[in-house]
Amino acid sequence: MPLNRRTFLGTSAAAGAGVAMVGGAAVPAEARGGGRGPKRYSFTVMGTTDLHGHVFNWDYFTDKEYDDAAHNDVGLAKISTLVEGIRAEKGRHNTLMIDAGDTIQGTQLAYYYARIDPITAKQGPVHPMAQAMNVIGYDAAALGNHEFNYGIPLLRKFEEQCDFPLLGANALDAKTLRPAFAPYVMKTLLTPHGRDVRVAILGLTNPGIAIWDKANVQGKMTFPGLEEQAAKYVPRLRSMGADVVIVSAHSGASGTSSYGDQIPYVENAAGLVAEKVPGIDAILVGHAHVEIPERLVENKETGKPVVLSEPLLWGERLTVFDFDLVWERGRWAVEKAGARVLNSNTAVEDPRITGLLADEHKKVVAYVNQVIGTSVAEMTTADAPWKDEPIIDLINKVQADTVQAALAGGEYAALPVLSQASCFSRSARIPAGDVTIKDAAGLYPFENTLEARLVTGAQIRDYLEFSARYYVQTPAGGPVDTSKLTNADGTPDYNYDAVSGLTYEIDIAKAAGSRIVNLCFGGKAIDPAAQFVLAVNNYRASGGGNFPHVPAAQQLWANSDEIRNTIIAWLQAKGTVDAAEFASVDWKLTRDGTPVF
């Protein structure tokens, strides 16, 4: 199938114009009405979110078909089959297809076409996600925060390659404060009644971009709150004749934020938008990586329900919104709206997608299987959430070595270097024998870069106390069930940090905030006033997870290369990895002074 590589949005869209589009001319099969009763019409909007570069049902970190404990499948090839099934059932011209963001980062397929064979190169390739989404026939996609990970030029190139607009009503040009992307798109669906239905899709992204991708967006774009921009645009869309308003929001529904008071906007604001902004019929929710088949939220001003739905990430689910409209008082009105999700493990992969991108897939498989060194013994993250494991020590060793080398000969060269690392995946492993790029990439799946920040002993104690909230308070004496030990209050694994370069205990029998015991440096109790260099990823340094002190700490050094690449280069230079050279048990869980393990 030929691909349209035209530039979809011109400078007018970048300056703040919306995009108006007209649907197909075929008479919808799902239109209802006739006779003397009220005119009615039904249509369907399908949605995905947090695809994170998944096209195939494939795990590039294990080099085999994707599978998990729940036997989920992933990828746009499966989603495409589900979409075609809905279109066949409802009538293609009674359907729209949208996405809620985080599209071009997350797999080695996405990484390859951002860094190894970048789409920004002269006569570069078309991004696999653009190719697949064009074939599926998306009508719009909201911007996610991870769209900015590789910089604005690559995002603009991806935008150019898409046959649909990337929407971001709250992604503003920092100088003009006008939308840097199209805020909305207006779609027209034809009915058999001579009265078309106008469907507005408003795109909203996450204000946390200003923190998480500060290096890429500072001085270039600014990101006000979702509620603020929705309140601005929804009335405008209604005045333009929108019969139905749908929001595609890269923002969870919980009303919480991970960045505290660093910016005055809520991270997971979709539910608040539904409550506070009148005139919205449905919201496709993203960002939070949770499944919400259907949630009805009452708008406080109108009393009308707004239907929310969030499909699981990576293409594991497809949201299906169904709208029933009735003609009354000279316009179409939503009589009923509901949502459900379809499981992609019920579908086969669409051969149009797998065939189109077979060559790209083969290139990436070959890339990730390159051998970069050897390991004396196997290392895994299976127990890393509750034990000091060599595989996490490896990350900290690489980061500490890199920072020490960068600071050598300078003002801060004599300061001790500490390092933080998280267990990003409980299934990562470095095998005994040959170590490949996929092994290293699986250990560090995010595009984080490395920084060095100046901190004190007192600040490190606060940092560790904050991190230790991750554990569920567990009384001394009884057995410990590791399946119930971690992720207290929903804290994800990536927001628990182990810090190397000192020793400490975490007493999980104590309440959060008073758990760090016997914190020592060099065998002595840590001096609260002592200065240290902390090797830290840019996500944490810019406020991700809302850890204390580090975002405001003096930056001594920063690197633009991904930590993953730093690990790969370190392994290549080392040749052979022997955990005995760097692994040690520097922290452990205790209860009233007795080790848990």
Side-chain angles (χ1 to χ4, degrees):
M1 177 176 292
L3 295 173
N4 187 342
R5 294 185 63 179
R6 64 187 171 84
T7 302
F8 189 85
L9 298 178
T11 56
S12 62
V19 182
M21 304 177 71
V22 179
V27 175
E30 287 295 305
R32 294 184 285 116
R36 298 180 181 177
K39 299 172 184 176
R40 284 188 165 84
Y41 173 74
S42 297
F43 72 99
T44 295
V45 177
M46 295 169 283
T48 53
T49 191
D50 296 278
L51 292 167
H52 284 288
H54 288 82
V55 173
F56 297 85
N57 186 42
W58 193 260
D59 187 340
Y60 292 98
F61 297 142
T62 61
D63 201 22
K64 61 184 180 181
E65 186 173 298
Y66 180 86
D67 192 25
D68 63 14
H71 301 298
N72 288 303
D73 287 349
V74 299
L76 280 172
K78 295 247 176 181
I79 289 294
S80 182
T81 299
L82 293 177
V83 168
E84 290 306 302
I86 293 293
R87 286 172 174 162
E89 175 189 351
K90 304 289 186 180
R92 183 181 184 92
H93 299 292
N94 298 326
T95 67
L96 298 172
M97 182 69 193
I98 63 177
D99 183 79
D102 275 6
T103 304
I104 57 173
Q105 174 277 336
T107 62
Q108 286 297 287
L109 180 73
Y111 179 81
Y112 188 89
Y113 288 98
R115 289 287 189 257
I116 306 304
D117 186 11
I119 62 173
T120 48
K122 187 176 182 180
Q123 297 181 332
V126 179
H127 200 290
M129 294 301 288
Q131 294 191 55
M133 295 173 82
N134 288 343
V135 169
I136 290 170
Y138 275 77
D139 293 289
L143 294 164
N145 54 285
H146 283 287
E147 259 66 83
F148 294 85
N149 285 173
Y150 296 116
I152 293 173
L154 187 129
L155 174 55
R156 288 298 189 191
K157 187 64 177 180
F158 176 71
E159 178 187 29
E160 176 187 324
Q161 294 177 343
C162 292
D163 292 342
F164 52 90
L166 302 183
L167 306 179
N170 61 328
L172 309 182
D173 182 275
K175 294 180 180 178
T176 66
L177 297 184
R178 300 181 68 184
F181 295 84
Y184 61 85
V185 61
M186 189 80 78
K187 303 289 291 186
T188 300
L189 300 176
L190 308 183
T191 80
H193 304 299
R195 303 285 186 173
D196 300 339
V197 173
R198 290 169 63 78
V199 182
I201 303 164
L202 177 68
L204 296 170
T205 191
N206 206 288
I209 295 166
I211 297 174
W212 304 320
D213 265 302
K214 181 178 180 180
N216 289 327
V217 302
Q218 188 174 34
K220 300 174 183 177
M221 292 187 190
T222 186
F223 303 88
L226 285 84
E227 298 167 58
E228 170 190 326
Q229 294 303 103
K232 173 182 177 181
Y233 278 99
V234 172
R236 182 183 302 181
L237 294 169
R238 289 292 185 182
S239 69
M240 292 168 60
D243 301 295
V244 181
V245 174
I246 300 167
V247 174
S248 182
H250 193 74
S251 181
S254 66
T256 61
S257 293
S258 69
Y259 40 70
D261 59 1
Q262 293 179 78
I263 55 176
Y265 308 116
V266 176
E267 177 182 353
N268 296 301
L272 298 175
V273 171
E275 283 184 3
K276 296 182 179 182
V277 181
I280 298 170
D281 296 295
I283 301 179
L284 177 65
V285 179
H287 182 63
H289 294 190
V290 298
E291 182 175 341
I292 305 174
E294 179 187 71
R295 179 181 299 171
L296 298 179
V297 176
E298 182 180 296
N299 182 267
K300 291 183 177 179
E301 182 173 328
T302 65
K304 294 182 178 180
V306 181
V307 60
L308 276 60
S309 182
E310 180 176 5
L312 270 182
L313 74 169
W314 300 355
E316 292 182 0
R317 303 288 187 273
L318 174 72
T319 278
V320 180
F321 291 104
D322 290 310
F323 298 90
D324 293 336
L325 275 57
V326 61
W327 181 264
E328 58 183 21
R329 299 175 184 174
R331 60 168 295 172
W332 290 107
V334 174
E335 187 175 45
K336 181 182 177 183
R340 54 197 165 99
V341 295
L342 302 181
N343 195 325
S344 64
N345 70 8
T346 65
V348 298
E349 291 188 308
D350 187 340
R352 295 181 307 159
I353 305 297
T354 56
L356 177 69
L357 295 169
D359 287 345
E360 286 86 341
H361 177 66
K362 290 177 182 176
K363 286 180 181 179
V364 177
V365 169
Y367 164 74
V368 300
N369 279 286
Q370 294 179 47
V371 175
I372 55 175
T374 60
S375 178
V376 172
E378 181 184 48
M379 295 179 280
T380 78
T381 55
D383 293 332
W386 48 83
K387 291 182 181 179
D388 187 348
E389 291 288 282
I391 197 167
I392 304 299
D393 291 341
L394 173 61
I395 299 175
N396 279 325
K397 172 64 173 174
V398 172
Q399 292 181 165
D401 282 0
T402 303
V403 167
Q404 284 178 327
L407 298 180
E411 179 182 356
Y412 302 98
L415 289 181
V417 176
L418 313 179
S419 178
Q420 62 79 222
S422 303
C423 175
F424 295 122
S425 167
R426 298 192 183 194
S427 60
R429 62 186 288 270
I430 298 295
D434 288 345
V435 178
T436 64
I437 285 177
K438 74 171 183 284
D439 299 323
L443 179 58
Y444 212 108
F446 295 105
E447 270 64 55
N448 296 339
T449 57
L450 187 62
E451 298 189 16
R453 296 286 179 121
L454 184 64
V455 295
T456 67
Q459 290 174 333
I460 282 294
R461 178 179 288 278
D462 289 346
Y463 189 100
L464 291 172
E465 286 285 9
F466 185 88
S467 184
R469 301 179 313 152
Y470 171 74
Y471 295 105
V472 174
Q473 188 171 3
T474 308
V480 174
D481 182 353
T482 56
S483 69
K484 300 177 181 178
L485 178 62
T486 62
N487 308 103
D489 297 321
T491 303
D493 290 348
Y494 62 77
N495 274 344
Y496 170 66
D497 288 356
V499 175
S500 70
L502 35 72
T503 59
Y504 58 99
E505 298 171 12
I506 303 173
D507 192 332
I508 59 173
K510 299 181 184 297
S514 57
R515 291 177 169 173
I516 301 302
V517 180
N518 296 328
L519 177 59
C520 296
F521 173 74
K524 299 179 180 179
I526 198 166
D527 180 355
Q531 289 188 316
F532 299 88
V533 176
L534 180 65
V536 59
N537 68 56
N538 69 304
Y539 173 78
R540 193 69 80 234
S542 61
N546 201 28
F547 277 62
H549 304 305
V550 173
Q554 181 182 348
Q555 184 190 79
L556 306 181
W557 173 83
N559 189 10
S560 61
D561 202 10
E562 289 89 355
I563 293 172
R564 173 171 54 213
N565 283 347
T566 304
I567 294 172
I568 291 170
W570 188 92
L571 290 171
Q572 286 176 316
K574 191 74 172 175
T576 299
V577 179
D578 186 354
E581 296 178 359
F582 56 81
S584 60
V585 178
D586 296 328
W587 65 270
K588 58 187 175 183
L589 301 186
T590 61
R591 290 182 296 178
D592 294 345
T594 301
V596 175
F597 302 105

